[in-house]
Amino acid sequence: MLPEKFVLADRVLQVAPSPTLAVNAKAKALKAAGADVLNFSVGEPDMPTPVHVCEAGKRAIDQGHTRYTPVAGIVELRAAICAKVKADHDWAYEPDQVQVCCGGKHGLYNIFQAILNPGDEVLIPAPYWVSYPPMVQLAGGTPVIVPLAEANNFDLDPEVLAGYVTAKTKAIVLNSPSNPTGAVFSQKALAAVAQMAYKNGWLVISDDMYEELTYTDVRIPHILHADPRLKEQTVISNGVSKSFAMTGWRIGWSIGPMEVIRAMNRIQSQSTSNPAAPSQYAALAALQGPQEFPGRLREAFIPRRAFFVDALQSIPGVTCVTPKGAFYVFPNFSAYYGKSCNGQVIEGSVSLADYLLSEAKVATVPGAAFGADAFIRFSFATSMEVIVKGMERIKIALAALQ
Ligand code: GLU
């Protein structure tokens, strides 16, 4: 026990643990204890990391790449990241404009630490990924939540956004395809946001983690294509976690203006020093080796997404926007709020997720964690068998609510 007078830092008392990781841990613990839990919580591809990538990680250890690397990551990997964005988007960056970090999540953390002063506001469209607001708070900034409408397919509405802009607005977070909605922002919306960002000098933080996992034939719009002038004030966040099924290797990166990347390197040099060396060599193999893996993931996800969306839309009272990317469905269950079963009242997404876990043994993440209480998030990065079984159980559990 800590001494009675000892108090933890105010900053840690402001934030809760990541709900995606918390639900995943709970589902795994229940499963380990013998419960037949179907886990739709955490966003993690269900395929193993490609063999050649694992081999490269092992080889790196055998070759002695077990020591510190440069703070920003090995130059070969940073050069490969530059080559990738050049090939994919025709964007020209130098390795000095790249920071490799311990997953995209860590990169975002470093960005906020590097740019925010107390009171600085960051525009965050909601539904948002769970960690953006706490990360902004941990850096002393103020998250400003901008609602997106389900009726507008969760696209950004520049007029709504304008209502949340103040003299303190410093940055905006864009995540397209989005976790949790799978929405892709339209070219029109991005062009309008680009104009606002350019005029007001905001930093644009573009979280592109799901850009390889889209279900449209055309390339999805990006703010830097909408207005290339923004390159000087945009930081792109990405990584290999989702596209190469490398969540546990913890390799992500940020690309952007040299001054911001240098500031982030200062933070990284005083915190993690560098991401794990063998993981960096594995990520290098992912970027330089065969590139068909993200396509294989996409192919596997297409039928699951179709089944999930159809099944959800066929439940009375449930609406579900078809995701254009990522691997989540985000149905609206609010028609069931206020109902109850055996005295258990469904007050909102948290109690519905609890009910689904206890009654149907289905683990999900409540929409409240994403700033949208009407919804529940399901990851479809799990087998079709689990999805079919899960939907059966959910239908029965919902039908029992009166
Ligand atoms: N980003 C994934 C998710 O939303 C992984 C867990 C996390 O870091 O939030 O489930």
Side-chain angles (χ1 to χ4, degrees):
M1 279 282 270
L2 283 170
E4 207 179 309
K5 278 194 192 156
F6 191 93
V7 285
L8 293 170
D10 290 345
R11 83 178 71 83
V12 83
L13 301 176
Q14 281 179 15
V15 298
S18 161
T20 46
L21 301 186
V23 180
N24 190 41
K26 191 170 171 186
K28 282 186 165 170
L30 285 169
K31 245 178 149 164
D36 174 23
V37 172
L38 305 175
N39 191 358
F40 296 100
S41 64
V42 80
E44 175 165 61
D46 56 328
M47 286 188 196
T49 306
V51 172
H52 72 278
V53 174
C54 295
E55 290 302 329
K58 292 182 216 169
R59 216 166 33 245
I61 296 173
D62 290 341
Q63 289 174 347
H65 294 302
T66 54
R67 308 173 82 84
Y68 292 130
T69 74
V71 166
I74 56 172
V75 72
E76 300 92 311
L77 178 54
R78 285 182 284 136
I81 292 162
C82 293
K84 179 172 171 52
V85 292
K86 178 75 185 154
D88 290 352
H89 293 281
D90 202 27
W91 297 329
Y93 287 97
E94 299 295 322
D96 282 353
Q97 294 177 277
V98 180
Q99 180 189 71
V100 181
C101 44
C102 307
K105 192 172 190 172
H106 179 224
L108 291 161
Y109 184 86
N110 281 347
I111 295 171
F112 294 126
Q113 289 292 325
I115 66 161
L116 294 179
N117 282 318
D120 284 346
E121 294 178 359
V122 179
L123 298 167
I124 302 177
Y128 48 72
W129 176 51
V130 295
S131 291
Y132 299 141
M135 282 182 183
V136 168
Q137 282 171 302
L138 286 171
T142 306
V144 175
I145 308 304
V146 181
L148 303 174
E150 183 187 15
N152 192 24
N153 290 323
F154 298 112
D155 194 9
L156 262 171
D157 182 334
E159 272 178 38
V160 173
L161 181 71
Y164 291 85
V165 175
T166 73
K168 290 181 181 166
T169 306
K170 181 117 177 218
I172 180 166
V173 180
L174 300 176
N175 177 217
S176 172
S178 148
N179 173 4
T181 64
V184 164
F185 291 148
S186 65
Q187 173 75 21
K188 197 171 156 217
L190 287 175
V193 174
Q195 217 170 20
M196 290 163 86
Y198 190 74
K199 194 179 93 199
N200 295 302
W202 304 335
L203 190 80
V204 176
I205 299 159
S206 184
D207 180 353
D208 298 351
M209 188 52 86
Y210 295 92
E211 75 167 351
E212 308 258 6
L213 297 171
T214 60
Y215 309 104
T216 56
D217 294 335
V218 289
R219 189 165 77 181
I220 63 164
H222 193 284
I223 190 133
L224 285 190
H225 292 307
D227 191 341
R229 289 178 308 177
L230 278 182
K231 188 160 171 265
E232 296 306 315
Q233 59 191 78
T234 297
V235 181
I236 294 162
S237 169
N238 211 327
V240 282
S241 294
K242 313 292 176 179
S243 45
F244 284 92
M246 291 178 68
T247 46
W249 297 80
R250 307 311 300 133
I251 294 292
W253 53 82
S254 306
I255 316 172
M258 197 89 81
E259 297 92 319
V260 176
I261 298 296
R262 274 201 199 123
M264 291 167 63
N265 287 341
R266 234 184 279 175
I267 304 280
Q268 184 145 294
S269 77
Q270 295 287 14
S271 51
T272 59
S273 300
N274 59 262
S279 291
Q280 293 188 53
Y281 283 91
L284 181 62
L287 295 190
Q288 292 187 331
Q291 292 302 299
E292 85 280 350
F293 189 79
R296 275 179 39 214
L297 280 181
R298 217 169 20 239
E299 290 304 310
F301 293 157
I302 286 171
R304 303 176 190 180
R305 161 181 169 264
F307 177 87
F308 228 138
V309 171
D310 279 357
L312 286 163
Q313 287 176 343
S314 75
I315 302 176
V318 175
T319 53
C320 182
V321 173
T322 304
K324 291 190 180 141
F327 41 70
Y328 308 103
V329 278
F330 201 57
N332 184 330
F333 282 108
S334 56
Y336 289 85
Y337 297 175
K339 298 193 176 198
S340 62
C341 177
N342 298 331
Q344 192 173 348
V345 182
I346 307 301
E347 281 154 359
S349 63
V350 173
S351 52
L352 181 58
D354 281 346
Y355 172 72
L356 292 177
L357 187 56
S358 61
E359 283 307 300
K361 299 283 179 292
V362 165
T364 60
V365 188
F370 305 91
D373 193 43
F375 305 83
I376 294 272
R377 191 191 78 171
F378 295 80
S379 160
F380 56 83
T382 185
S383 73
M384 194 61 152
E385 194 193 338
V386 168
I387 296 171
V388 172
K389 215 159 133 187
M391 280 313 305
E392 279 166 15
R393 292 188 190 178
I394 289 161
K395 280 183 187 168
I396 296 169
L398 289 178
L401 291 172
Q402 300 295 319

